[in-house]
């Protein structure tokens, strides 16, 4: 769905009572997108690249694994502990101010691989969120709620109408189940078991 299509859905959720410009809608829509993306390490946000310099990719959000070759895993240390680990092999730290990855000690030879969570581009009226299409309408519910009452997650869910809150809950729950099934499939070849996972209140998982 494009930003324009999501705006139509959000307007419908608000019974066409939203007094917002396209620019204001897009600001709220991208806040909603950020809130959804920060709920967890979604499978669709995972990305990998080879490390050929210290500069991190432009869409880098956070690291979750670094490998050298196929068998050696490197482990992160806090930025302020870089001197304490200066001679430790296969360790690294992230310089968040300069967005660089820096290896410490004697690093094993081989190709370095960075597995990371990515940021996605802002949505415009003509572009679509970089998330599965069937879950994109969730952003319209979040955007409508933010427009109504602000950006606090608890308020968003508490102050939605019962019908809209349930629709948003079911869509977010379905998205979680989809994401978890992918994770389980890749780890231990299990599918169709996500529904057995204990559900937490919306926005708390």
């Amino acid at each position: 769905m494009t930003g324009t299509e999501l705006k139509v859905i959000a307007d419908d959720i608000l019974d066409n009572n939203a007094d917002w410009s396209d620019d204001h809608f897009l600001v709220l829509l991208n806040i909603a997108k950020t809130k959804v993306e920060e709920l967890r390490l979604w499978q669709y946000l995972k990305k990998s690249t080879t490390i050929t310099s210290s500069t991190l990719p432009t869409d880098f959000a956070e690291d979750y694994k670094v490998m050298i070759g196929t068998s050696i895993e490197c482990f992160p240390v806090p930025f302020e502990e870089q001197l304490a680990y200066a001679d430790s092999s296969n360790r690294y730290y992230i310089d968040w101010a300069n967005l660089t990855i820096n290896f410490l000690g004697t690093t094993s030879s081989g190709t370095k691989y960075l597995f990371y969570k990515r940021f996605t581009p802002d949505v415009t009226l003509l572009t679509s969120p970089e998330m599965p299409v069937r879950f994109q309408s969730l952003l319209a519910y979040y955007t409508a709620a933010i427009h109504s009452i602000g950006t606090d997650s608890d308020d968003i869910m508490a102050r939605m109408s019962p019908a809209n809150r349930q629709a948003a809950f079911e869509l977010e729950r379905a998205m979680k189940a989809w994401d978890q099934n992918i994770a389980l499939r890749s780890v231990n070849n299990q599918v169709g078991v996500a529904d057995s996972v204990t559900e937490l209140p919306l926005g708390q998982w």
Side-chain angles (χ1 to χ4, degrees):
M1 299 179 190
T2 64
T4 298
E5 292 170 322
L6 289 169
K7 188 172 187 289
V8 171
I9 296 173
D11 280 329
D12 186 60
I13 292 169
L14 296 170
D15 295 324
N16 294 307
N17 291 322
D19 182 19
W20 50 18
S21 66
D22 287 345
D23 287 343
H24 182 54
F25 167 76
L26 289 173
V27 169
L28 300 186
L29 175 64
N30 284 297
I31 290 173
K33 179 181 73 70
T34 297
K35 291 177 72 67
V36 170
E37 290 179 349
E38 291 305 311
L39 288 174
R40 63 193 288 162
L41 178 57
W42 298 102
Q43 299 298 315
Y44 74 91
L45 293 177
K46 290 182 176 182
K47 195 171 179 179
S48 66
T49 187
T50 56
I51 303 172
T52 57
S53 71
S54 62
T55 303
L56 290 165
T58 56
D59 61 351
F60 177 84
E62 60 184 83
D63 55 307
Y64 66 90
K65 191 170 188 177
V66 172
M67 295 288 297
I68 299 177
T70 60
S71 60
I72 301 172
E73 184 170 359
C74 293
F75 297 97
V77 301
F79 177 83
E80 60 272 19
E81 297 297 325
Q82 58 182 278
L83 297 180
Y85 287 90
D87 297 323
S88 298
S89 299
N90 302 324
R91 298 271 186 167
Y92 70 94
Y93 70 91
I94 301 291
D95 181 342
W96 291 97
N98 296 298
L99 289 179
T100 60
I101 182 169
N102 304 279
F103 289 88
L104 300 166
T106 302
T107 303
S108 301
S109 61
T111 303
K112 299 182 179 70
Y113 299 95
L114 171 66
F115 298 84
Y116 67 100
K117 178 179 179 179
R118 66 187 176 101
F119 287 127
T120 64
D122 281 351
V123 183
T124 70
L125 292 178
L126 300 178
T127 62
S128 302
E130 292 188 2
M131 62 188 294
V133 174
R134 58 180 170 169
F135 303 123
Q136 289 177 5
S137 57
L138 178 63
L139 299 183
Y141 284 100
Y142 264 64
T143 302
I146 292 170
H147 174 74
S148 298
I149 48 80
T151 59
D152 182 80
S153 294
D154 291 337
D155 283 346
I156 286 175
M157 291 304 143
R159 300 193 189 188
M160 276 186 183
S161 71
N164 287 337
R165 183 166 60 247
Q166 186 62 28
F169 173 81
E170 294 298 341
L171 188 58
E172 194 170 326
R173 182 178 183 275
M175 188 173 175
K176 176 190 177 184
W178 167 83
D179 185 76
Q180 192 157 342
N181 273 328
I182 292 175
L184 290 170
R185 174 69 173 174
S186 64
V187 172
N188 53 15
N189 202 32
Q190 296 185 55
V191 292
V193 298
D195 285 342
S196 66
V197 177
T198 302
E199 292 295 335
L200 296 175
L202 199 61
Q204 296 185 22
W205 40 269

